[in-house]
Amino acid sequence: MKRLGRVFYNRPAIEVAHDLLGKYLVHVSGGVERVGRIVEVEAYLGPHDLAAHSAKGMTPRTKVMFGPPGHAYVYLIYGIYHCMNVVTDREGHASAVLLRALEPVRNVAGPTQGPGLLCRAMAIDRRLHGHDLVSEHFYIAAPPRAEPVVMVKRPRVGVDYAGHWAKRLLRFYIRGNPFVSKP
């Protein structure tokens, strides 16, 4: 599998979100290579997007989002679940793509339908916050064979507080894939 390069991530979040569908998330941990096919994502467009964590400006938590593209933004929700975003666009823009669901490919145990479950199954936690996704052991790659993807657009999940941003069609998933969290 060929790892994606920095130029892939250095584009608007919506473009990266579309192109992440069907790619492979790879995490080598404890000598085990876990691989999952990305089947659902959400785009967060920067500080003007009221659903984005960056809407409150740069904080110790969101600093990674303002950094260079191609890094992992990993955070904890409800004190239980980790979630992973891929930082996109130019440095300082603070946009990202949340990985919402994976189709297990290799060595992935447990459910992967939802960002917290995905992280648990892939052994992703805060230790990977800020990790460079262009490096070894934790990266996104093109699959060995590209499979056709029919994309569905829907509103993001769980961002009702964000006013009109909650209704924007910024959640994308592969039509008919049984691993999508909320078809």
Side-chain angles (χ1 to χ4, degrees), residues 6-178:
R6 184 94 46 226
V7 71
F8 176 88
Y9 304 104
N10 193 12
R11 302 179 294 141
I14 292 174
E15 288 178 27
V16 174
H18 292 175
D19 292 345
L20 280 172
L21 292 176
K23 300 292 188 287
Y24 284 7
L25 177 63
V26 180
H27 182 210
V28 180
S29 174
V32 176
E33 182 184 64
R34 292 171 179 82
V35 181
R37 182 174 179 240
I38 300 168
V39 298
E40 182 181 3
V41 296
E42 288 180 352
Y44 290 87
L45 308 182
H48 64 285
D49 178 348
L50 298 181
H53 288 176
S54 57
K56 294 184 171 132
M58 188 185 303
T59 66
R61 179 185 187 190
T62 63
K63 184 177 180 181
V64 169
M65 290 180 76
F66 288 84
H71 287 78
Y73 170 55
V74 180
Y75 57 93
L76 193 64
I77 59 167
Y78 309 126
I80 304 171
Y81 295 107
H82 289 93
C83 294
M84 178 194 165
N85 284 256
V86 174
V87 176
T88 64
D89 217 315
R90 68 190 180 281
E91 190 165 353
H93 188 68
S95 61
V97 177
L98 173 67
L99 303 184
R100 283 200 55 83
L102 292 177
E103 178 181 333
V105 173
R106 184 170 43 255
N107 298 320
V108 178
T112 57
Q113 295 99 327
L117 296 174
L118 172 161
C119 284
R120 183 177 289 162
M122 291 291 291
I124 296 168
D125 60 26
R126 291 268 309 147
R127 290 175 287 193
L128 293 168
H129 180 67
H131 185 87
D132 188 348
L133 295 170
V134 179
S135 62
E136 295 182 26
H137 306 297
F138 186 48
Y139 58 91
I140 298 173
R145 287 186 328 269
E147 298 177 32
V149 170
V150 177
M151 183 177 57
V152 176
K153 299 177 184 182
R154 293 287 184 262
R156 294 176 290 194
V157 176
V159 294
D160 294 339
Y161 59 85
H164 74 278
W165 285 97
K167 294 177 177 56
R168 299 274 313 266
L169 301 179
L170 295 171
R171 179 168 68 103
F172 311 103
Y173 61 85
I174 297 175
R175 174 176 281 142
N177 188 286

